[in-house]
Amino acid sequence: MVVLPKNISSKREIMELDRIDIALLRLLRNNARMPNKDLADKVGVAPSTALERIRRLREARVIEGYHAELNPAGIGIGLQAMVAVRLNRHSREQVIALHDHLLALPEVIAFYHVAGANDFLVHVGVRDAEHLREFAMAALTSRPEVAHIETNLIFEFRRSADLPIYARPVD
């Protein structure tokens, strides 16, 4: 069995996942719109069982949401970049301030608070090089908590549809 935190953000209760739960998660990760009947058929359970297991996984916050995968060019994103951000001081207040700021920016696709030489990696989607320059200047270098940024262009982005499993499930 695989053991995961039941509520990642607060309580540390443990939820056990068996091979059917893991199979359902893998299928949903690859196609969140797969009909319940097809999910049930693929994992070898009744549709009512699949529905109940998915409900339980949602309630336990193993499944946190469903998202549409968008084609960046189809929505006007002509350029993507990963911007490394270094804070001028490592304090809770500065981390929270930048975190909240990044969440409010429409150009931010995702961000990661990381350890190492930099404090954040920010994945951005912009129209073009000029938009990237303006974003960096207005949204990042003007922030009092930001000491340094370094921008790397992204030539290709792909999300893995597979789910990493680090323990072998037991029935």
Side-chain angles (χ1 to χ4, degrees), residues 116-134:
N118 297 299
D119 299 298
F120 284 86
L121 295 176
V122 184
H123 181 184
V124 299
V126 293
R127 288 183 304 277
D128 53 30
E130 181 62 25
H131 187 185
L132 179 59
R133 179 183 175 282
E134 288 303 315

Side-chain angles (χ1 to χ4, degrees), residues 27-86:
L27 289 166
L28 287 170
R29 173 115 168 126
N30 191 46
N31 179 2
R33 292 179 53 107
M34 184 177 290
N36 185 63
K37 182 184 178 317
D38 295 347
L39 289 166
D41 287 345
K42 288 183 182 291
V43 299
V45 297
S48 60
T49 301
L51 193 62
E52 176 58 26
R53 283 177 176 257
I54 292 167
R55 183 200 57 76
R56 184 176 49 87
L57 291 165
R58 275 195 323 268
E59 286 178 358
R61 296 200 55 211
V62 173
I63 298 173
E64 291 189 330
Y66 300 91
H67 309 278
E69 193 74 35
L70 304 178
N71 178 335
I75 56 172
I77 295 175
L79 186 65
Q80 294 182 63
M82 188 67 73
V83 183
V85 178
R86 192 171 310 140

Side-chain angles (χ1 to χ4, degrees), residues 83-129:
V83 183
V85 178
R86 192 171 310 140
L87 299 177
N88 61 28
R89 205 177 83 228
H90 296 96
S91 70
R92 177 177 296 276
E93 294 78 22
Q94 285 197 350
V95 168
I96 291 170
L98 187 61
H99 178 277
D100 291 345
H101 177 66
L102 293 172
L103 284 174
L105 298 171
E107 293 90 349
V108 174
I109 294 170
F111 68 87
Y112 310 89
H113 181 196
V114 297
N118 297 299
D119 299 298
F120 284 86
L121 295 176
V122 184
H123 181 184
V124 299
V126 293
R127 288 183 304 277
D128 53 30

